[in-house]
Amino acid sequence: MSIVIPNEIIKATGKSEKLLQLELAIIMFRDYQVSSAKAANFASLSLIEFRQELAKRNIFVNYDSLDFQQEIQTLKTLGEL
């Protein structure tokens, strides 16, 4: 599924497409909808870069063993592990 955001909406936010993509990824992660690895992939960032963005916004990574297993699987799927 693809989501198209009209240019006038993007312009109204005053933010670039890349920044809006990052902010959507952060929202999905923050609201426990996706893992940090999936959110990083969505934002076209490495996992480390994504976590740095989270740290800038004082968003903490709640990390348990299930999260770890999901991260490993996601990284394998993405070919990063």
Side-chain angles (χ1 to χ4, degrees), residues 52-80:
Q52 288 171 337
E53 290 295 330
L54 292 175
K56 288 179 190 176
R57 292 163 172 77
N58 293 318
I59 299 172
F60 301 98
V61 178
N62 296 322
Y63 207 77
D64 61 19
S65 63
L66 179 59
D67 291 323
F68 178 71
Q69 291 170 355
Q70 289 175 340
E71 299 280 321
I72 295 294
Q73 186 58 45
T74 300
L75 291 171
K76 285 180 180 177
T77 301
L78 297 173
E80 294 187 24

Side-chain angles (χ1 to χ4, degrees), residues 22-72:
L22 171 62
E23 291 188 359
L24 284 172
I26 289 171
I27 289 167
M28 289 186 294
F29 170 76
R30 184 196 65 207
D31 293 348
Y32 305 103
Q33 296 168 341
V34 298
S35 68
S36 58
K38 287 182 182 177
N41 185 53
F42 178 81
S44 301
L45 296 174
S46 72
L47 188 55
I48 292 171
E49 291 169 325
F50 183 71
R51 289 192 176 156
Q52 288 171 337
E53 290 295 330
L54 292 175
K56 288 179 190 176
R57 292 163 172 77
N58 293 318
I59 299 172
F60 301 98
V61 178
N62 296 322
Y63 207 77
D64 61 19
S65 63
L66 179 59
D67 291 323
F68 178 71
Q69 291 170 355
Q70 289 175 340
E71 299 280 321
I72 295 294

